[in-house]
Amino acid sequence: MTLDAEVDALRRVPLFRGIDATKLRLLAFISDRTRFAAGERLCNQGEEGDSAFIILEGSADIRVDTPDGEKTVARVGRHSIVGEIAILCDVPRTASVVAAEELDVLTVSKDDFLRLLKEFPDMSLEVMRTLAQRLERTTQDLAALKASGEAA
Amino acid sequence: MTLDAEVDALRRVPLFRGIDATKLRLLAFISDRTRFAAGERLCNQGEEGDSAFIILEGSADIRVDTPDGEKTVARVGRHSIVGEIAILCDVPRTASVVAAEELDVLTVSKDDFLRLLKEFPDMSLEVMRTLAQRLERTTQDLAALKASGEAA
């Protein structure tokens, strides 16, 4: 894919909406774009996290280790960001990410990602919104499961 | 409490670490500081959310409506921020917040909060970290409950 086509793909990601074309070009240039087959793992829980992933095409499962093996807790799709928790909180990967189908992914290094957030308040707000939405969904799931567990 | 004492209290909140004294003074001046008794409600799920709360002293329960009534899904303590999801995502309150003991709370309006986030990248990062940590804890709880449910 040419750099122009790549910049065009990035421009369609809501997360990058507030970033001007020159910076987007730089981002396309410094980031890795990778294709994953269904079932391939982008990262594993417990590993050190040195990058965030932005899904350009496809969807992935968020999987968490439990005493009874790995459980899928969420699915994320096109234009989602994943893997940012380890970067933000400076902790090992809190979940594994597994391609649910063929995936086209932009990998942004920790340093570049933090720099972007500092420089572009709109991108920060978008990351906050994403985290807040995921927290809300997970909290609802937890409450529903608690209620059904107590009812059973 | 004098404005100086108030600024001093705000200075100890990690969320405001990167904010200089003059701005902190302004924040103390424009924000409401309220005391809640144990059991009092800061906000109710489903209401419009026009402010965020920063807990200066005490702790509060995050409670979510389920078909079997209200369930506590998390407890937050001193220096935590709550109620920011409705502001960030422009949705009604996604949970109720109830004082677990006597609470001392700083109420920041939506407009002031968003302005602070835009102006202070360090505060944005801290909010992101808080959201990420809460998401991680909730995801772990959900995975554990899913595993125990399947084992039962």
Side-chain angles (χ1 to χ4, degrees):
Chain A
M1 189 180 258
T2 68
L3 195 60
D4 277 340
E6 196 130 330
V7 171
D8 219 56
L10 293 189
R11 204 193 306 272
R12 281 193 292 268
V13 179
L15 192 61
F16 301 139
R17 208 177 279 147
I19 303 186
D20 58 70
T22 320
K23 294 273 174 179
L24 227 44
R25 224 178 152 75
L26 187 68
L27 177 64
F29 189 72
I30 59 179
S31 316
D32 285 324
R33 191 156 170 175
T34 321
R35 186 151 296 201
F36 293 88
E40 271 194 283
R41 302 173 78 85
L42 283 68
C43 66
N44 293 301
Q45 187 173 342
E47 286 175 356
E48 210 192 322
D50 52 1
S51 49
F53 309 103
I54 290 120
I55 299 180
L56 298 177
E57 288 294 341
S59 61
D61 287 328
I62 310 297
R63 299 180 62 84
V64 173
D65 295 335
T66 76
D68 298 303
E70 209 178 65
K71 303 277 167 200
T72 297
V73 289
R75 173 161 291 190
V76 291
R78 191 172 179 236
H79 293 172
S80 298
I81 175 165
V82 281
E84 78 288 11
I85 293 184
I87 287 182
L88 289 170
C89 302
D90 247 326
V91 294
R93 294 284 184 208
T94 56
S96 300
V97 182
V98 186
E101 55 184 319
E102 200 178 65
L103 259 193
D104 201 6
V105 167
L106 188 81
T107 305
V108 183
S109 78
K110 177 175 176 163
D111 288 350
D112 289 334
F113 186 69
L114 291 177
R115 215 173 355 240
L116 283 170
L117 289 180
K118 284 227 170 195
E119 201 170 337
F120 297 102
D122 285 343
M123 182 173 159
S124 284
L125 264 181
E126 195 64 35
V127 171
M128 275 181 251
R129 282 196 185 108
T130 304
L131 287 167
Q133 276 156 2
R134 278 163 56 195
L135 177 59
E136 202 251 307
R137 221 162 33 217
T138 311
T139 303
Q140 298 294 344
D141 287 351
L142 180 63
L145 209 58
K146 273 193 174 183
S148 71
E150 284 166 26
Chain B
M1 189 180 254
T2 67
L3 196 60
D4 277 342
E6 197 130 328
V7 170
D8 218 58
L10 294 188
R11 203 193 308 273
R12 283 192 292 269
V13 179
L15 192 62
F16 302 138
R17 209 178 278 146
I19 302 186
D20 58 69
T22 321
K23 294 274 175 182
L24 227 43
R25 225 180 150 72
L26 188 66
L27 177 64
F29 189 72
I30 58 178
S31 317
D32 285 324
R33 191 156 170 177
T34 320
R35 185 151 294 199
F36 293 88
E40 271 193 282
R41 303 172 78 85
L42 282 69
C43 66
N44 293 299
Q45 188 173 341
E47 286 174 356
E48 209 191 323
D50 52 1
S51 50
F53 308 103
I54 291 119
I55 298 180
L56 298 177
E57 290 295 342
S59 61
D61 288 328
I62 310 298
R63 299 178 63 84
V64 173
D65 295 336
T66 76
D68 298 304
E70 208 179 65
K71 303 276 168 199
T72 297
V73 289
R75 173 161 290 191
V76 291
R78 194 175 176 232
H79 292 173
S80 299
I81 175 166
V82 282
E84 77 288 12
I85 293 184
I87 287 182
L88 289 169
C89 301
D90 247 326
V91 293
R93 294 284 184 208
T94 56
S96 300
V97 181
V98 185
E101 56 184 318
E102 200 179 66
L103 259 193
D104 201 5
V105 167
L106 188 81
T107 306
V108 184
S109 78
K110 177 175 176 165
D111 287 350
D112 289 334
F113 186 70
L114 291 176
R115 214 172 358 238
L116 283 170
L117 290 179
K118 284 228 169 192
E119 200 169 338
F120 297 101
D122 285 342
M123 182 174 160
S124 285
L125 265 180
E126 195 64 35
V127 170
M128 275 181 251
R129 280 195 187 109
T130 303
L131 287 168
Q133 276 157 2
R134 279 164 53 195
L135 177 59
E136 202 249 309
R137 221 161 36 213
T138 311
T139 304
Q140 298 294 344
D141 287 351
L142 181 63
L145 208 59
K146 272 193 175 183
S148 70
E150 284 167 26

